[in-house]
Amino acid sequence: MKPARAGTDPRALFPDIPFSGPAMPILSIIATSSRTATLLIAPPGTRYGLAAPMAWQVTGADGSVAAAGVATVAPLFVEGLEPDRNYVLEVAGEALAFRTRACAGLVHATDFGADPTAADNAAALARAIAAVPEGGTLLIPPGRYVTGPIFLKPRVTLYLPDRTELAARADRAGWPLLPERDEHGRVVGTWEGLPETSFAAPVTAVGCEDVTLTGRGTIDGGGDRGDWWQWPKETRDGARRPRTVFLAHCRNAQITGLTVRNSPSWTVHPYRCDGLVAAALKIENPADSPNTDGLNPECCEDVRLIGLSFSVGDDCIAVKAGKRARGQTEHLAPTRRLAIRHCRMARGHGAVVLGSEMSGDITDVEITGCEFVGTDRGLRIKTRRGRGGCVARVRMRDVMMDGVMTPLAINAFYFCDPDGKSTAVQSRDPASVDETTPQISDILLEDVVAENVHNACVAVLGLPEAPVSGVRLERVRFGFAPGAEAGVPLMACGIAPVRHASVLARFADITTDLEIKPVPEETETC
C-alpha cells in the first residue's frame, strides 16, 4: 500500500478510532521510510517557524501513541516507527493518515564489526552495506563512528537514529577518489561545474535508485579535522576536496531528518539526480569555513527541498547546472523544476543562489514560504560572459527576510575564474552574442517582505548585449536597517559600496510594485 496522500481521511484506514475535526488541510506528507516519517505542519501564513507551538502525536492502528511532542517549526520528523504500518498524525484536533514503507530486512552495522572505539569503520560499514538486501535497512546504532568514505547501493535505507554520528576521519591518506568518469562514461568526479577527480564524500551514492538516508543522527564531514579548509581552490594528491554527502545519477532518492555539518567543501551535493526529496535537514558549517555551501542541486530535475535549516560558511542553497569550458560541453545538463518550501536560511553569503555554474540552464524554480535571516543576499543570480545557458522562470513568493544586505541581486558580471576581472569579461561595452552569452529572464518576487536591509533593496546588472528581462516585483515591501554600513551589492568590477539604496539597475527591464519604509535618518536613493 502506498503512503496516504495529504488530506486523506484517517477513518479510511482506522474505522474504529474516533477523531475530532475534519481531515487535516494544513498537514502533508513529505516522505516516508520504513522507520521514519517526514511531515509538514503548515497553517496558512506559515514559513519555517510556527506562529505558536503545536502539540502533536502519532498513533498506531491499535490507538497506542508511537511518538508525541510539541512542534515549533513546520517540518516534523518522526523516527522509531515500525515498517509497513498505518499511522495517524494528530494536531489540534485534526488528523492525517500515512503508512510507512515495507522493509525487506534490517541489518545492524555492529554485527559486521562497526565499533565506536575503532579508528576507521569504513571496512566494517562496507561489509554491512553489502549484506543489506534490496529494499532493506542498515541501522547504525547510537554512538560516534569514525569512518572513511562509505558507498551506498541502490534500494537500501541508511538509518542513523538519534545520538548516532558518522564522523569522517582526519587523515586523508588512502582516501578513495572519484574519477572524472566511471566505467560507463558518466561524470562522477566534479568540481565547480567541471569534470574533475575529487575525493569521495564520507557518504557517497552513485547510480543508486530509491536510496534513502534518514534518522535524527548526524553526518560530520570532518572539515575542521585535517587540512581540508587550508586549500579551498587547490588540487592535492591529484584530487579536489570532498563533499559530505554526494549523490550522483540517483533517481527517487530521499534525505530526511539528519544533521549534516562541518563539511570539507559543499555539504550536500546531488549531481544528475532526478526526483530527489531533501526534508527536515539541519545543515551547519562554521561561518569562516571556505566554500561550504549548504545544498547544491546540480544538473538535477524534479527536486523538492522542504523544511531545511541552514547556517553555513557560503551560500545556503546553491543551484548549479555545470560550467562551459573551452572544448567541454558534453557534461552540461539542466536543473529544472526545483521547489524550495518552508526553509530557513541564516548567515550564508546568499540564501537561494542560482549559478554561477549555470551553463546547462536553470529553469522553473519555485521558492515559497521561506525565511532568510542575516544572509548577505536573498535571491541571488550570478553569471558572466562565456557561460552560455539561461536562468528563467524563477518565482519567489511569501518570503520574509530580516537583516539581509541585498534582498535581490542579479549579476551578469560575476568575476569568477582566473579571467574574471579581465576586460573581455568586465567591459560594459556590448560584446557579440553567441552560444556563450548567458540569458536571464522572467524573475518574479511576490508578497515578499525584507526588513533591515543594509546595502540595496534590488541590484541588477545585466549584459549590454543581453539585458536581464522580465524582472517583476509585486507587493514587495522593504525596510532599511538603522546604522547600516555601506557595502558592495554585486561582485563585479566597478561597483561602488552603497548604503540604503532602493533599486540599482543597469541593462535590465524591471517592473516594480514595492513599498520602501524609510528610517528616521537621511537615506541614499537611486
Side-chain angles (χ1 to χ4, degrees), residues 22-38:
M24 187 62 158
I26 65 170
L27 297 181
S28 57
I29 301 164
I30 304 172
T32 59
S33 74
S34 58
R35 288 167 174 81
T36 67
T38 311

Side-chain angles (χ1 to χ4, degrees), residues 8-343:
T8 298
D9 191 330
R11 296 165 184 79
L13 295 178
F14 301 98
D16 299 327
I17 298 178
F19 294 100
S20 60
M24 187 62 158
I26 65 170
L27 297 181
S28 57
I29 301 164
I30 304 172
T32 59
S33 74
S34 58
R35 288 167 174 81
T36 67
T38 311
L39 308 152
L40 193 70
I41 304 173
T46 299
R47 296 182 181 92
Y48 181 78
L50 294 173
M54 301 184 75
W56 61 271
Q57 69 175 18
V58 171
T59 55
D62 60 358
S64 62
V65 176
V70 176
T72 59
V73 296
L76 175 64
F77 182 79
V78 181
E79 69 175 5
L81 304 177
E82 294 296 323
D84 203 21
R85 298 284 180 87
N86 292 327
Y87 290 95
V88 170
L89 169 66
E90 296 178 273
V91 181
E94 301 185 35
L96 176 71
F98 64 93
R99 188 177 182 86
T100 53
R101 294 184 175 187
C103 179
L106 179 65
V107 172
H108 291 258
T110 49
D111 291 343
F112 292 83
D115 184 347
T117 67
D120 187 351
N121 281 280
L125 292 174
R127 292 192 295 269
I129 292 168
V132 179
E134 184 172 301
T137 299
L138 173 61
L139 168 66
I140 302 181
R144 184 176 186 270
Y145 299 82
V146 175
T147 184
I150 63 173
F151 296 83
L152 303 180
K153 64 182 186 180
R155 289 172 287 279
V156 301
T157 295
L158 176 64
Y159 179 27
L160 309 180
D162 190 24
R163 295 179 290 110
T164 296
E165 179 179 339
L166 282 184
R169 59 181 171 86
D171 181 10
R172 60 182 168 84
W175 196 281
L177 303 182
L178 295 177
E180 291 185 13
R181 289 174 173 81
D182 64 12
E183 65 274 16
H184 306 293
R186 300 177 302 184
V187 173
V188 289
T190 74
W191 182 258
E192 294 187 349
L194 290 172
E196 288 199 41
T197 300
S198 303
F199 288 100
V203 177
T204 297
V206 177
C208 292
E209 186 171 1
D210 295 322
V211 69
T212 296
L213 287 69
T214 191
R216 287 192 179 277
T218 297
I219 302 174
D220 186 317
D224 64 344
R225 301 185 288 278
D227 64 353
W228 298 121
W229 292 342
Q230 298 173 21
W231 46 285
K233 298 293 185 179
E234 298 177 30
T235 298
R236 292 192 178 180
D237 298 327
R240 297 286 194 168
R241 292 183 295 156
R243 290 45 154 178
T244 294
V245 175
F246 180 61
L247 278 64
H249 306 282
C250 296
R251 291 180 57 83
N252 302 325
Q254 295 185 358
I255 312 174
T256 59
L258 297 164
T259 295
V260 189
R261 68 186 184 197
N262 204 19
S263 189
S265 63
W266 296 353
T267 308
V268 178
H269 182 195
Y271 174 72
R272 290 287 188 107
C273 292
D274 296 344
L276 170 75
V277 176
L281 303 177
K282 294 181 180 179
I283 298 179
E284 304 169 347
N285 296 310
D288 60 350
S289 54
N291 302 111
T292 56
D293 295 353
L295 200 151
N296 297 58
E298 181 176 11
C299 303
C300 294
E301 300 189 19
D302 299 303
V303 172
R304 293 188 296 150
L305 310 179
I306 305 176
L308 309 179
S309 175
F310 295 89
S311 180
V312 295
D314 206 315
D315 297 325
C316 295
I317 294 176
V319 186
K320 310 288 188 179
K323 179 168 65 177
R324 178 187 300 268
R326 188 180 300 275
Q328 286 185 288
T329 58
E330 80 288 349
H331 63 287
L332 301 178
T335 290
R336 54 193 175 194
R337 297 183 298 278
L338 168 65
I340 301 168
R341 300 171 185 157
H342 300 289
C343 294

Side-chain angles (χ1 to χ4, degrees), residues 450-463:
E451 300 286 355
N452 295 307
V453 174
H454 288 239
N455 302 149
C457 299
V458 175
V460 181
L461 178 59
L463 294 172

